[in-house]
Amino acid sequence: MNKVEKIQAIIKEKVTGIWEPRHDGSGHRYYNNKTGHLQRSVTTKLGILHKPHLAKWQIKVAVEWLCVEDRWQRLMHESWKEEMLSGAMLAPFDVRDDAGGVGTQAHNAAESYILDWIASGNKPVDIKAYAKEGDDPRAVASMRAVEAFFNKHYIQPIASELLVGDIRYSAGTLDLLAMMDDKLTLIDFKTSNGVDAISYSAQVAAYKYFFESMTGLKIKQVKILHLSKDYDKFTVYDVKYLPQAWKAFKQICGVYDWMSDNRKEKIIKDIKRLTI
């Protein structure tokens, strides 16, 4: 049994089947089949982080929506005012959902491509063969960016879409575990327009800790693969200060859990009762 096969055997024994998704209308959650614990996803807990750049982007998208077909002029009319304001407020969410759909299509194709690669031992010839009919051209561009990354680097995939977690903190899905430069490497795919250094580093630090604590194996390097949606280009980022990122994530979990705990009131009125 070679090194990769040994790692895969440990994953099968200690990771596979431990966590399962229980996503619902309230968000992304994961269930631990060994302990019965239900945990919020890593990305859900990171959602409490303040993102000033996102607020500016939302305002920009809302204003751009109002400028289409001179919608802003309808704001002057009382009969149209509420509809125009509602449309402007919803516009950023429509753009976000559209981008999320594109990212999902790219992730799904990449997962199928990698799983076939692992199963056969041979890298598939063309990732576009894993695109589904009707997939967005932007998603196909991101797929090609994944393939370009694999063609440029010597990589041996070990596992794809691993569900990892810790009952005390959170759980989530690790995109890719591979041997890269002869080192056990965690690779996270991103298709967002920008790179959020804070949340991305905390996210992959959490995945690294979860995997290591479940398996006893050590991940030697962590990469964020940012994929273009315009052409088959990619950017690779190394994550620095992983121990500090993990420490920050634990603190974020503490804040999230405190904010979400509705069993006790956070404040109560100080009512002084007079005795007569």
Side-chain angles (χ1 to χ4, degrees), residues 154-170:
Y154 179 75
I155 291 173
Q156 190 173 6
I158 296 172
S160 176
E161 300 294 305
L162 277 183
L163 302 185
V164 293
D166 186 308
I167 60 174
R168 297 169 295 175
Y169 302 113
S170 183

Side-chain angles (χ1 to χ4, degrees), residues 90-104:
L90 291 174
F93 298 99
D94 292 339
V95 174
R96 179 202 63 188
D97 292 344
D98 174 64
V102 170
T104 298

Side-chain angles (χ1 to χ4, degrees), residues 78-101:
E78 198 63 34
S79 59
W80 286 97
K81 185 176 181 180
E82 287 302 318
E83 182 178 339
M84 292 300 102
L85 289 174
S86 177
M89 287 188 289
L90 291 174
F93 298 99
D94 292 339
V95 174
R96 179 202 63 188
D97 292 344
D98 174 64

Side-chain angles (χ1 to χ4, degrees), residues 98 101-106 108-109 128-141 143:
D98 174 64
V102 170
T104 298
Q105 291 173 9
N108 289 343
K128 295 193 298 296
Y130 296 87
K132 295 182 179 178
E133 185 177 354
D135 274 358
D136 194 291
R138 293 169 295 173
V140 176
M143 296 172 202

Side-chain angles (χ1 to χ4, degrees), residues 27-173:
H28 285 191
R29 302 190 298 175
Y30 292 87
Y31 178 78
N32 188 297
N33 286 305
K34 289 183 68 176
T35 66
H37 283 82
L38 196 62
Q39 263 293 3
R40 292 288 181 183
S41 72
V42 169
T43 51
T44 296
K45 292 199 170 183
L46 287 171
I48 66 171
L49 290 176
H50 178 53
K51 299 178 180 179
H53 68 281
L54 186 58
K56 293 178 182 177
W57 172 81
Q58 289 175 326
I59 293 170
K60 177 177 178 291
V61 173
V63 171
E64 288 174 344
W65 185 88
L66 283 171
C67 290
V68 174
E69 299 176 356
D70 294 329
R71 290 174 178 143
W72 62 272
Q73 292 183 344
R74 301 180 187 179
L75 283 172
M76 309 302 172
H77 301 279
E78 198 63 34
S79 59
W80 286 97
K81 185 176 181 180
E82 287 302 318
E83 182 178 339
M84 292 300 102
L85 289 174
S86 177
M89 287 188 289
L90 291 174
F93 298 99
D94 292 339
V95 174
R96 179 202 63 188
D97 292 344
D98 174 64
V102 170
T104 298
Q105 291 173 9
H107 270 78
N108 289 343
E111 180 186 5
S112 298
Y113 175 93
I114 294 165
L115 289 176
D116 275 2
W117 186 352
I118 293 170
S120 68
N122 297 305
K123 182 169 64 175
V125 175
D126 186 2
I127 198 170
K128 295 193 298 296
Y130 296 87
K132 295 182 179 178
E133 185 177 354
D135 274 358
D136 194 291
R138 293 169 295 173
V140 176
S142 293
M143 296 172 202
R144 293 181 62 209
V146 171
E147 187 174 50
F149 169 74
F150 287 142
N151 288 338
K152 184 173 181 179
H153 299 275
Y154 179 75
I155 291 173
Q156 190 173 6
I158 296 172
S160 176
E161 300 294 305
L162 277 183
L163 302 185
V164 293
D166 186 308
I167 60 174
R168 297 169 295 175
Y169 302 113
S170 183
T173 305

